[in-house]
């Protein structure tokens, strides 16, 4: 059956163990299709930091491409601790990549990477598809800290486009 792979994203894997059980859609799909649900922790989030510090040298490896490469490396090289676990590479069984929020974004970015056929399917929930820096929003929040000003700012953002707000 298929291998359902999920990376929690910006958190350690401890709180996500249910995603390997039939309490979640990941586990239900794996169980129904006689597959396996796997949870892999993202480097730098949780206990998987390759260095014992967060200095610039180690953070240089905290990139989207590095995370995508690690998902691909894991899928291509892992042997699972189960009967037949050495015959579950992506060219042998379907792999499904699942993620939400940041890991949902990684799911989408992997799908559009230079190895789009590695995963048979992908499911991204609440994924950011394009990172945009709203400078007028950020600067306004910094400059405007009073409660009434925050209320006014949020009301303006909801009712006007960011560019219109920067002129008011």
């Amino acid at each position: 059956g298929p291998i359902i792979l999920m990376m929690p994203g910006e958190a350690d894997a401890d709180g996500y163990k249910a995603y390997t059980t039939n309490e979640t859609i990941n586990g239900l799909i794996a169980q129904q299709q006689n597959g396996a649900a796997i949870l892999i922790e993202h480097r730098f989030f949780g206990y998987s930091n390759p260095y014992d510090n967060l200095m610039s040298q180690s953070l240089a490896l905290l990139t989207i491409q590095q995370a995508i490469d690690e998902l691909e490396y894991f899928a291509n090289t892992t042997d699972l601790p189960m009967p037949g676990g050495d015959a579950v590479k992506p060219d042998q069984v379907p792999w499904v990549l699942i993620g939400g929020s940041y890991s949902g974004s990684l799911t989408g970015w992997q799908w559009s990477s230079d190895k789009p056929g590695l995963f048979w399917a992908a499911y991204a929930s609440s994924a950011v598809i394009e990172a945009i820096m709203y400078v007028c929003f950020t600067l306004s929040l910094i400059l405007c800290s009073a409660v009434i000003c925050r209320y006014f700012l949020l009301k303006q953002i909801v009712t006007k486009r960011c560019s219109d707000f920067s002129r008011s």
Side-chain angles (χ1 to χ4, degrees):
I3 305 300
I4 312 299
L5 177 63
M6 181 192 174
M7 178 186 290
E10 61 275 59
D12 65 69
D14 286 347
Y16 290 83
K17 291 178 182 174
Y19 285 90
T20 62
T21 72
N22 62 8
E23 294 177 25
T24 65
I25 191 140
N26 302 14
L28 285 172
I29 293 170
Q31 182 181 39
Q32 185 182 54
Q33 299 298 318
N34 295 317
I38 301 173
L39 184 65
I40 182 173
E41 191 170 79
H42 188 299
R43 181 192 296 223
F44 292 99
F45 297 103
Y47 309 107
S48 302
N49 193 329
Y51 297 98
D52 61 356
N53 64 61
L54 294 177
M55 303 301 285
S56 58
Q57 178 188 8
S58 62
L59 290 176
L61 300 175
L62 179 56
T63 67
I64 291 168
Q65 188 59 53
Q66 182 71 33
I68 290 170
D69 291 346
E70 289 176 0
L71 287 169
E72 294 170 352
Y73 179 82
F74 179 82
N76 283 318
T77 62
T78 193
D79 289 334
L80 300 179
M82 62 184 217
D86 59 341
V88 293
K89 306 298 185 269
D91 61 341
Q92 298 168 308
V93 299
W95 279 63
V96 179
L97 185 60
I98 295 179
S101 187
Y102 166 64
S103 64
S105 299
L106 283 176
T107 298
W109 292 326
Q110 189 291 322
W111 194 256
S112 63
S113 74
D114 59 348
K115 299 180 190 103
L118 181 68
F119 291 94
W120 181 74
Y123 175 77
S125 172
S126 303
V128 175
I129 55 171
E130 183 177 1
I132 299 172
M133 176 64 171
Y134 287 105
V135 176
C136 65
F137 179 73
T138 305
L139 290 176
S140 296
L141 285 178
I142 292 169
L143 298 173
C144 183
S145 61
V147 174
I148 194 159
C149 192
R150 276 191 244 151
Y151 168 77
F152 175 75
L153 174 66
L154 292 173
K155 182 178 176 187
Q156 291 297 322
I157 290 170
V158 169
T159 59
K160 292 184 174 186
R161 292 177 3 152
C162 187
S163 60
D164 292 341
F165 176 70
S166 64
R167 288 184 289 224
S168 58

